[in-house]
Amino acid sequence: MTTPVVGLALGGGGARGMAHIGVLKVLEKHNIPIHCIAGTSIGALVGSGYALHPDAKQFHARITEFIKSPQFQKAGLSRFTRKEPAENFFGQVAKYVKQRIVINLAHSKLSVVSSERLYKIISFTLENRNIEQSQIPLAVVASDLISGEAKTFTRGSIRKAVLASASIPGFLPPVTYNGHYLVDGAVTAPIPVEAVRELGANIVIAVDVGQDMLATEHATRNIVDLIFRTNSITAGSLRNQLLEKADFVIRPEVGNIHWADFSEFDRLVELGEAACEAVVEKIADAYKQRRSLVYRLTHREN
């Protein structure tokens, strides 16, 4: 029996990932130690910020400051939201391309927008440091377009790794880094459970902020929606397989919130808090029991 090592696996989901902050705040409040963190996409951004400076309230304040800043407004994410109740990120990208860009652009470019906007967000949120300098051991997960496998970064530039991890295919261009051609970690590891296990975690808390899988009338109203609805089903199946490998799963009720709707920031944090409060006692009990058992085994009389 080994010493309990609590690891957080923070999944991707755009703005919905702000719920991760609420989870961190509750774990801190209940004095549950976090020994390592793995993040995908928005989970990589939040996880990296916390790993550098493990203070959930301070991180919450910093993100609040940024979301209210002119720099964030200039990022233009709000243009990708729409009034319909259904969410289809890829449908929004297709609509944006159709309305704003000559259709032939799709044949000559790799993304709708440049990576500069995302990098500004990352630079504001994260210091220019290496992953190995974080106070909590950290893994950032991206997807290698060439090998088709997940690429886990535990060393090197935090900003560059997070940029790769959050580069949504078609929306942002692939990132070339350390000889790899990388896109969003959610393609191969929407919930980075395996990455946090590799860091040594034996009590894994997975936080799922993915989109609701229940289809609506908008999910199959045209060819583009149909194509990406089937893609969502495949991604959802992978997500569920990974979640089965976690010891605890926290699912904030954020699946119906648009990936780009940061106007719901305060509510997202609160939903993360509520979801974590619902299971935090079980997590605390599991940690205490394992720690107590290890103590008894290592101090028993020979």
Side-chain angles (χ1 to χ4, degrees), residues 23-172:
V23 171
L24 289 166
K25 292 177 71 175
V26 170
L27 292 176
E28 269 193 10
K29 184 176 75 172
H30 289 270
N31 298 312
I32 295 176
I34 300 171
H35 299 112
C36 52
I37 301 173
T40 288
S41 200
I42 190 68
L45 179 66
V46 175
S48 295
Y50 187 78
L52 283 170
H53 301 286
D55 185 327
K57 288 184 179 179
Q58 183 185 69
F59 186 68
H60 185 188
R62 183 164 180 78
I63 296 298
T64 301
E65 176 190 358
F66 180 60
I67 287 178
K68 293 180 179 179
S69 71
Q71 295 98 315
F72 181 78
Q73 300 305 319
K74 290 178 182 178
L77 288 173
S78 61
R79 77 183 62 181
F80 290 100
T81 60
R82 63 182 177 186
K83 299 297 183 182
E84 292 90 341
E87 174 196 291
N88 186 310
F89 163 72
F90 295 102
Q92 288 301 295
V93 172
K95 181 179 180 182
Y96 180 83
V97 172
K98 181 178 179 180
Q99 291 179 341
R100 301 295 183 91
I101 306 174
V102 178
I103 250 335
N104 289 338
L105 188 64
H107 297 287
S108 60
K109 287 202 172 184
L110 292 173
S111 65
V112 174
V113 297
S114 72
S115 59
E116 182 181 352
R117 292 180 182 179
L118 176 58
Y119 194 74
K120 286 182 178 179
I121 294 174
I122 292 171
S123 297
F124 184 96
T125 309
L126 303 175
E127 298 172 39
N128 188 20
R129 301 177 69 180
N130 286 342
I131 296 172
E132 59 268 31
Q133 293 176 296
S134 62
Q135 294 188 49
I136 297 175
L138 172 69
V140 175
V141 182
S143 300
D144 191 316
L145 275 178
I146 305 303
S147 69
E149 299 176 345
K151 173 60 181 174
T152 301
F153 292 96
T154 56
R155 301 184 65 82
S157 169
I158 285 184
R159 289 179 176 178
K160 195 70 179 285
V162 172
L163 179 65
S165 180
S167 290
I168 304 169
F171 180 54
L172 291 159

Side-chain angles (χ1 to χ4, degrees), residues 148-277:
E149 299 176 345
K151 173 60 181 174
T152 301
F153 292 96
T154 56
R155 301 184 65 82
S157 169
I158 285 184
R159 289 179 176 178
K160 195 70 179 285
V162 172
L163 179 65
S165 180
S167 290
I168 304 169
F171 180 54
L172 291 159
V175 174
T176 301
Y177 184 45
N178 285 356
H180 298 275
Y181 200 48
L182 304 164
V183 294
D184 195 343
V187 173
T188 53
I191 312 286
V193 174
E194 295 176 344
V196 81
R197 290 273 187 205
E198 291 172 2
L199 287 177
N202 49 36
I203 298 178
V204 173
I205 305 168
V207 186
D208 178 13
V209 292
Q211 182 181 358
D212 282 344
M213 288 305 298
L214 183 63
T216 69
E217 59 183 308
H218 299 287
T220 56
R221 65 183 179 182
N222 58 45
I223 293 174
V224 172
D225 281 342
L226 183 61
I227 290 171
F228 290 112
R229 171 59 184 168
T230 56
N231 180 75
S232 295
I233 292 171
T234 302
S237 297
L238 173 58
R239 193 170 76 209
N240 290 335
Q241 290 175 24
L242 293 171
L243 288 172
E244 289 177 359
K245 300 178 181 181
D247 298 290
F248 297 95
V249 176
I250 298 174
R251 283 193 179 93
E253 295 182 4
V254 298
N256 64 339
I257 295 175
H258 195 281
W259 70 272
D261 191 1
F262 284 87
S263 69
E264 297 273 7
F265 174 67
D266 291 332
R267 178 171 169 242
L268 286 161
V269 174
E270 290 172 359
L271 289 170
E273 291 176 342
C276 191
E277 287 284 6

